[in-house]
Amino acid sequence: MEDDGTVTVYNSSIVPTDSKKNPTTFSVKVGLAQMLRGGAIVEVANAQQAKVAESAGACCLSVSESASISRCGGGIGRMADPSLIKDIKRSVSIPIIAKARVGHFVEAQILEAIGVDYVDESEMLSISDEGNFINKHNFNIAFICGCRDLGEALRRIREGAAMVRTQGDMMRSGNIVETIGNVRRVMGETRVLNNMDDDEVFTFSKKIGAPYDLVAQTKQMGRLPVVHFAAGGIVTPADAALMMQLGCDGVFVGNEIFDCSDPFKRVKAIVEAVRNYNDPLVLAEVSCGLSKAAAALEICGTGMRDSRFEVLSD
């Protein structure tokens, strides 16, 4: 398909973009994100963890050195040290995601320059711009963005996100309750949209604050027009399979997965659960013997909700 103001998204549907500014079209970026579909993306903080995750079957690695800062505490989470990212890139052969602060387009420029495969404009880090997200169409690299509902997901796609992840627990506590609620919200709003009369879509798009053309495209496709992962609190095979059965395309596994006695076994179990999410017998088998390994994954607090998402004037 010619990139003359429109690009292919997911299958045969289209959304507009300006291809004159960027030699890498949005359709190519979306295609790169689709390569991760059906896999588990594991957050790592060093080359050793990266090798463990790769050998356990992770489809991609998300590099972050801010895990110790963010877990159950404060501090400023920033882009990882480029030397760390380069070291991890040299140690593995699977794709690499690196995080940039929301709105911090210079961090994204640096990450693109050092050759990461994807940039995650991540609310898990500190917010650098409370009013603006990065214009992701200005980059040659595919971006990943978080969301809590359908309107937020479609706004990020309009800005150029090639993948969205429904974000839940940001305290690295191993609590999946918020992730489930947000995934159900996205899926529920999508089902409501699918059952609407075409004349009602205009009002619905205004209600959720999303571009009408992307809302109409979502209705036509019956799903988000880009790859949709779940993130936050996913630490067991059952957690991962639940996200897949709810309709997600894959899962993000946080760095807290390494706070156990056998991270290789746990990552491998989650990878197998994502691949066999509809087979209870396989899920039961891969879940055996993991309870002791998860002893360190304690909940930091009851009902805690990170306020970093709410500071954005989206």
Side-chain angles (χ1 to χ4, degrees), residues 9-312:
V9 176
Y10 210 84
N11 288 320
S12 58
S13 302
I14 57 173
V15 295
T17 187
D18 183 359
S19 61
K20 296 178 180 178
K21 294 182 179 179
N22 198 340
T24 303
T25 62
F26 187 54
S27 57
V28 172
K29 298 174 185 176
V30 171
L32 290 172
Q34 287 183 37
M35 294 172 61
L36 305 179
R37 197 177 177 199
I41 299 172
V42 179
E43 182 183 28
V44 299
N46 54 56
Q48 182 179 4
Q49 291 180 357
K51 292 176 182 178
V52 170
E54 181 183 34
S55 61
C59 70
C60 184
L61 303 176
S62 176
V63 180
S64 176
E65 62 181 0
S66 62
S68 59
I69 295 175
S70 300
R71 187 173 183 181
C72 304
I76 301 298
R78 300 183 177 89
M79 170 191 74
D81 189 320
S83 63
L84 171 65
I85 298 171
K86 291 178 181 179
D87 185 35
I88 292 175
K89 276 178 60 65
R90 286 191 295 266
S91 65
V92 298
S93 59
I94 57 178
I96 298 294
I97 297 170
K99 294 182 175 69
R101 282 177 279 177
V102 169
H104 206 311
F105 54 85
V106 175
E107 285 189 347
Q109 291 169 358
I110 293 171
L111 295 174
E112 182 178 40
I114 64 176
V116 300
D117 299 284
Y118 307 89
V119 171
D120 187 344
E121 187 177 12
S122 178
E123 67 285 348
M124 290 289 289
L125 305 181
S126 302
I127 303 300
S128 70
D129 190 332
E130 295 185 352
N132 301 281
F133 285 77
I134 297 171
N135 180 359
K136 291 160 273 290
H137 292 294
N138 289 339
F139 292 81
N140 289 319
I141 199 167
F143 273 76
I144 300 165
C145 288
C147 73
R148 296 163 298 175
D149 53 47
L150 180 61
E152 197 165 29
L154 296 179
R155 291 194 293 275
R156 302 291 83 79
I157 295 170
R158 166 61 62 208
E159 294 162 0
M163 175 198 288
V164 296
R165 48 172 171 70
T166 299
Q167 183 67 50
D169 169 48
M170 293 193 289
M171 303 300 292
R172 304 179 186 275
S173 66
N175 191 352
I176 201 173
V177 62
E178 194 172 346
T179 311
I180 292 174
N182 290 340
V183 168
R184 285 195 178 276
R185 185 174 299 110
V186 173
M187 298 302 180
E189 290 173 339
T190 302
R191 286 192 295 271
V192 169
L193 173 61
N194 293 341
N195 292 322
M196 281 184 178
D197 185 273
D198 289 342
D199 294 338
E200 300 174 317
V201 177
F202 294 97
T203 300
F204 183 75
S205 64
K206 183 177 180 180
K207 178 181 177 181
I208 66 174
Y212 168 76
D213 59 327
L214 288 180
V215 175
Q217 182 183 358
T218 302
K219 173 176 169 57
Q220 178 187 11
M221 297 175 66
R223 56 154 296 142
L224 285 174
V226 300
V227 180
H228 176 204
F229 275 48
I234 300 169
V235 294
T236 70
D239 293 341
L242 176 59
M243 295 298 101
M244 299 299 290
Q245 290 193 29
L246 287 175
C248 294
D249 296 312
V251 299
F252 279 79
V253 181
N255 187 261
E256 64 269 21
I257 200 71
F258 292 96
D259 294 341
C260 65
S261 60
D262 192 349
F264 172 84
K265 182 177 181 180
R266 182 163 291 275
V267 174
K268 187 172 179 61
I270 291 176
V271 169
E272 289 301 317
V274 170
R275 294 173 179 171
N276 302 278
Y277 62 90
N278 274 326
D279 191 333
L281 292 178
V282 173
L283 296 177
E285 181 179 352
V286 299
S287 297
C288 290
L290 295 180
S291 57
K292 291 183 180 179
L297 299 175
E298 299 291 344
I299 304 272
C300 295
T302 303
M304 293 179 66
R305 181 183 179 90
D306 198 303
S307 62
R308 281 174 288 178
F309 234 140
E310 282 76 0
V311 301
L312 299 178

